[in-house]
Amino acid sequence: FPTRRSSDLIAWLRPRVPDATVLVINELPPMPFAEATFDIVYCHSVFTHLDENYQDRWLEELRRISKPSGVLVVSFSGQKAVETLEEQWIKANADPAPMRKQLEDSGILYITDDEWTNGPFPEFYHSSFHTVEYVKKHWGKYFKILNHLPCGSLEYQDFVVMQRAEPTPLVPKTQMPT
């Protein structure tokens, strides 16, 4: 996503990884890639900062650009991240119960009053937390969920391994003999 430092980061990366395609993408799809382009898609610390609407748009786009049977590895802030957040709230004399209830009720928690406010990132970039059940059910609408790796990244974020699965074709109902 575009930030104030995007051009500096790209300028630094290009000579160090000359065969890589490096670009800044827009905050919402589409990306400039053809359908079914990638065998593997890796998203680290992306869905941890998007609201549900943005996440759905990006899940659709990731499905579009991944090849049939393509594999995706995506991080999300799961149980460990939620426990860490609760500890921070308690230390700040804040009650984490309403936040926990919202997460338990909907499976997703998006916090806009966070450390990213007025930072170097765009206005839509904040903090998202997910239950594993939400990821399996909701993201499972877009992909086949293969595995969940708790604390697979930075000992804080979880990973979900998914695969683009082709929709099951509708089979016409056979007529019952009368």
Side-chain angles (χ1 to χ4, degrees), residues 13-23 38:
L13 186 60
R14 280 198 170 126
R16 288 165 177 79
V17 189
D19 294 332
T21 300
V22 183
L23 56 103
F38 298 100

Side-chain angles (χ1 to χ4, degrees), residues 53-71:
N53 176 54
Y54 272 57
Q55 289 181 29
D56 287 346
R57 300 275 303 274
W58 281 109
L59 289 166
E60 290 170 3
E61 179 69 355
L62 294 177
R63 186 176 193 317
R64 183 188 73 80
I65 65 168
S66 61
K67 289 184 178 178
S69 297
V71 174

Side-chain angles (χ1 to χ4, degrees), residues 55-143:
Q55 289 181 29
D56 287 346
R57 300 275 303 274
W58 281 109
L59 289 166
E60 290 170 3
E61 179 69 355
L62 294 177
R63 186 176 193 317
R64 183 188 73 80
I65 65 168
S66 61
K67 289 184 178 178
S69 297
V71 174
L72 294 88
V73 179
V74 179
S75 70
F76 68 96
S77 293
Q79 183 63 32
K80 174 66 174 173
V82 170
E83 290 169 0
T84 301
L85 177 64
E86 286 177 328
E87 290 169 8
Q88 292 170 348
W89 282 35
I90 290 168
K91 285 180 185 175
N93 294 319
D95 181 11
M99 174 264 311
R100 174 58 85 167
K101 178 163 179 25
Q102 181 183 343
L103 179 65
E104 289 173 357
D105 289 349
S106 65
I108 184 170
L109 174 67
Y110 181 67
I111 300 172
T112 58
D113 184 16
D114 60 9
E115 64 187 317
W116 304 110
T117 302
N118 299 319
F121 296 102
E123 281 300 312
F124 65 86
Y125 186 96
H126 290 287
S127 300
S128 289
F129 300 84
H130 303 79
T131 64
V132 174
E133 295 77 20
Y134 172 90
V135 169
K136 288 180 178 179
K137 183 177 179 183
H138 192 78
W139 296 11
K141 295 176 188 175
Y142 302 92
F143 298 96

Side-chain angles (χ1 to χ4, degrees), residues 34-50:
E35 191 168 323
T37 298
F38 298 100
D39 291 306
I40 298 174
V41 176
Y42 177 77
C43 296
H44 183 269
S45 204
V46 175
F47 287 80
T48 57
H49 298 286
L50 303 176

